[in-house]
Amino acid sequence: MKRSRFSEEQIIGILKEHQAGLGAKELCRRHGISDATFYKWRSKYGGMEVSDARRLKTLESENAKLKKMLAKQMMDVATLKEMLGKKLLRPGSRRNAVDWAMKTKGYNQRRACALAGIDPRVYRRTSKRPADTVLRTRMKELASERRRFGYRRLHILLKREGWEVNWKKLYRLYREEGLTVRKRGGRKRAVGTRTPMAIPQGPNQRWSLDFMSDALEDGRRFRVLNVIDDFSRECLAAVVDTSIGGTRVARELDRIAELRGHPCLVVSDNGTELTSNAILKWQEDRKVDWHYIAPGKPMQNGLVESFNGRMREECLNEHLFPSLRHACRMIAAWRKDYNHHRPHSSLDGLTPWEYHQRSREDQTLNRANL
């Protein structure tokens, strides 16, 4: 904007000459201004003193600054709305936001850093961490093979392969690669104290039974009878068929007992197959105690219920079964992997079979010491 030749004091002095009686034309000729300029001055400064003019100039200057600040603020708000697809919680995401603001919106570095909430020195700092390309690749391969495994079990699998990596570093790489397993929504739980379930102190002391159901591709339903050892968490059987009655359950328990011996106690729910005459006769003939949980209280048989959840997530939900034979083959393969390869968090990262073998070795050593 072109600066005026006259200051506010001079303009007010010219207007006072007009008020003293000098005509407008004579005044314009004397000072070399146009009629439009004179009337513009009179509409703006008419009746004002020099101090009033100075105050007006200050207010105009402050108003211009406020307008400029408001424009910047509105621009920052619009930029933030476009920038924040997600919350900027980590330095890497903040750096990306600064780069975007500088390239797309024309911000300078300092202003873009202030908008993203990162110090310019942090933005300019270059990371000295190694790329860990081979480790990332192997971790992604394992995660694609076992899609329901979190970083803890992946850490155990990598340690088995000889990778010496801290779990905190592995967790950082796990998050950066976007491998986080999506959790199911939590359910409301009763408030209060519960009596903890007593854990057997040796293998073959207590077995747990439960049924699951699923469907083939053509819609036909099939059932799975799961039998686990509560001490080692080992899956002793996963029987798949379209119908499993009490007689079949008794026959399968005898088949397991031929290899491991009969248990001291069996825990199950109150299903018709498990309360049938065949099962009552079986437990009486084999002298095996049978405990039925309270109706509607599956948490009283929590170990097998937890096992059912793992089978559902890692096997049944991961495959489509075109036939019953295919379902039997896939569930048997998963059961073998669960017993011999899958690390179990409640067993200090051991597999159920390793935990069972270690228990047998400990028992043998104790008997030798006695």
Side-chain angles (χ1 to χ4, degrees), residues 179-196:
L179 301 176
T180 307
V181 179
R182 185 170 182 176
K183 296 182 180 180
R184 295 180 297 177
R187 59 183 178 83
K188 293 183 179 179
R189 301 181 184 275
V191 179
T193 59
R194 294 188 177 93
T195 304

Side-chain angles (χ1 to χ4, degrees), residues 57-123:
K57 184 178 180 181
T58 303
L59 291 174
E60 289 179 345
S61 176
E62 292 178 354
N63 188 38
K65 291 180 180 179
L66 289 174
K67 285 184 177 180
K68 187 175 180 180
M69 291 175 59
L70 180 61
K72 286 185 178 181
Q73 188 71 20
M74 293 178 65
M75 183 177 179
D76 289 347
V77 170
T79 303
L80 279 173
K81 288 181 179 179
E82 297 182 34
M83 179 190 299
L84 299 179
K86 292 184 178 180
K87 292 183 179 180
L88 305 179
L89 301 178
R90 306 184 69 85
S93 59
R94 295 180 187 272
R95 287 193 185 96
N96 294 335
V98 171
D99 292 336
W100 176 83
M102 292 171 62
K103 293 178 181 179
T104 307
K105 300 296 183 179
Y107 280 58
N108 58 41
Q109 187 184 102
R110 183 174 296 276
R111 185 180 172 194
C113 288
L115 191 63
I118 184 173
D119 191 274
R121 292 173 295 180
V122 178
Y123 169 76

Side-chain angles (χ1 to χ4, degrees), residues 202-204 229 231-234 236 260 347 350-363:
N204 223 38
D229 188 315
F231 173 75
S232 64
R233 311 299 199 275
E234 185 180 359
L236 306 179
R260 303 177 61 98
L347 304 179
L350 299 177
T351 65
W353 177 251
E354 290 172 343
Y355 192 76
H356 176 75
Q357 292 298 109
R358 191 176 73 174
S359 170
R360 292 180 59 183
E361 293 174 1
D362 292 343
Q363 291 178 357

